[in-house]
Amino acid sequence: MNLSEREREVLRLLDQGKTNREIARILHIIEGTIRNYISRILSELGVSDRTQSAL
């Protein structure tokens, strides 16, 4: 798995059940950027949704 540090940080927050809005607030970035990170993470992990990324 070749995730950046920021992507790993987003993944940790996803695993904690945070919403995109909550993650954006915590990381001080916009929700659109979070959606981009999540798309990249899901692609890298080879899964189709957030729930699968936590498994």
Side-chain angles (χ1 to χ4, degrees):
M1 178 169 48
N2 189 25
L3 298 177
S4 69
E5 180 60 35
R6 183 61 111 181
E7 290 166 338
R8 286 191 296 272
E9 191 172 13
V10 170
L11 183 57
R12 281 190 292 273
L13 293 167
L14 278 176
D15 288 346
Q16 293 173 15
K18 304 287 189 208
T19 65
N20 289 4
R21 181 170 287 166
E22 290 169 327
I23 295 169
R25 272 194 224 131
I26 290 166
L27 299 179
H28 307 288
I29 54 181
I30 63 171
E31 281 185 70
T33 302
I34 295 301
R35 286 191 295 273
N36 291 339
Y37 280 132
I38 291 171
S39 292
R40 165 104 167 90
I41 290 165
L42 296 179
S43 175
E44 185 69 26
L45 295 176
V47 298
S48 59
D49 62 44
R50 299 164 74 110
T51 304
Q52 290 178 330
S53 72
L55 300 176

